[in-house]
Amino acid sequence: MLNLVGVLPDSQECFRDERVEDSRLGEAAILSAITEKVRLRSTVFASELGVVAALFILVIIFTAIEPAFLSDRNIRAMLRVVSFIGIIAVGQVILLVAGEFDLSVGSVAGVGAVVTAQVMTSFDVLIIVSVVAGILTGALIGLVNELLSSRSGFRHSFKHSECSLLAKV
């Protein structure tokens, strides 16, 4: 008998089938499941490795073209530019984990940035006041989207976010 203790939780219970009398067929099913799981993990790892390899190649090419590419100053500048997209991506990941999808995230962020700039220049207020105004604008648009989504009976908010995306354009 094959010993699979620790490989799968309660492996004998997971694959027990009353129709299969021969224990070797049960072992074959367990080995097949383990092999499939390992194959899936190696496939996912291979695709992630390809992205990392492409990134590494791009860094080498850009460093060869411009030696200052990996300087402290340039890395700080790149992180400063990408931070806006990173903040938006965190919000989108929360939606995806919850099983929702919102197309209007980028346009709502753009509207919030425009409101922030407009309040800052037109009303001559502190930066924190204008940032709060931009955040509140985005929150208000999100609240309207959610109220439309929850009241309409649609299971997912995709259609409402698509409509609000088009309304902002």
Side-chain angles (χ1 to χ4, degrees):
M1 181 101 183
L2 185 62
N3 185 6
L4 293 174
V5 175
V7 175
L8 284 177
D10 214 4
S11 58
Q12 294 296 326
E13 294 297 320
C14 291
F15 295 99
R16 179 174 289 164
D17 189 356
E18 284 74 29
R19 294 172 296 172
V20 178
E21 296 296 326
D22 188 4
S23 65
R24 292 183 188 196
L25 290 177
E27 291 173 3
I30 292 171
L31 285 176
S32 174
I34 293 171
T35 305
E36 188 64 32
K37 191 180 234 185
V38 168
R39 187 177 304 137
L40 178 66
R41 282 186 183 163
S42 63
T43 303
V44 170
F45 178 72
S47 65
E48 291 171 358
L49 186 62
V51 171
V52 170
L55 177 66
F56 186 68
I57 290 170
L58 284 173
V59 167
I60 290 173
I61 290 171
F62 287 130
T63 304
I65 293 171
E66 179 59 53
F69 180 72
L70 288 178
S71 68
D72 291 341
R73 182 177 181 198
N74 193 39
I75 289 174
R76 272 187 266 129
M78 286 188 290
L79 289 175
R80 194 174 303 124
V81 170
V82 175
S83 64
F84 182 72
I85 296 170
I87 292 169
I88 293 172
V90 168
Q92 190 69 12
V93 165
I94 292 170
L95 285 174
L96 290 173
V97 167
E100 296 291 329
F101 189 75
D102 191 358
L103 290 174
S104 66
V105 172
S107 61
V108 170
V111 168
V114 167
V115 167
T116 300
Q118 194 66 32
V119 168
M120 191 183 314
T121 57
S122 296
F123 299 112
D124 195 29
V125 295
L126 295 173
I127 293 174
I128 189 72
V129 174
S130 59
V131 169
V132 168
I135 291 172
L136 288 176
T137 302
L140 181 67
I141 294 171
L143 178 67
V144 169
N145 280 345
E146 180 55 35
L147 287 175
L148 286 174
S149 178
S150 63
R151 302 280 188 223
S152 67
F154 283 122
R155 184 169 181 269
H156 294 289
S157 61
F158 179 78
K159 290 289 185 191
H160 297 291
S161 68
E162 184 178 20
C163 292
S164 69
L165 167 70
L166 294 175
K168 291 174 199 68
V169 173

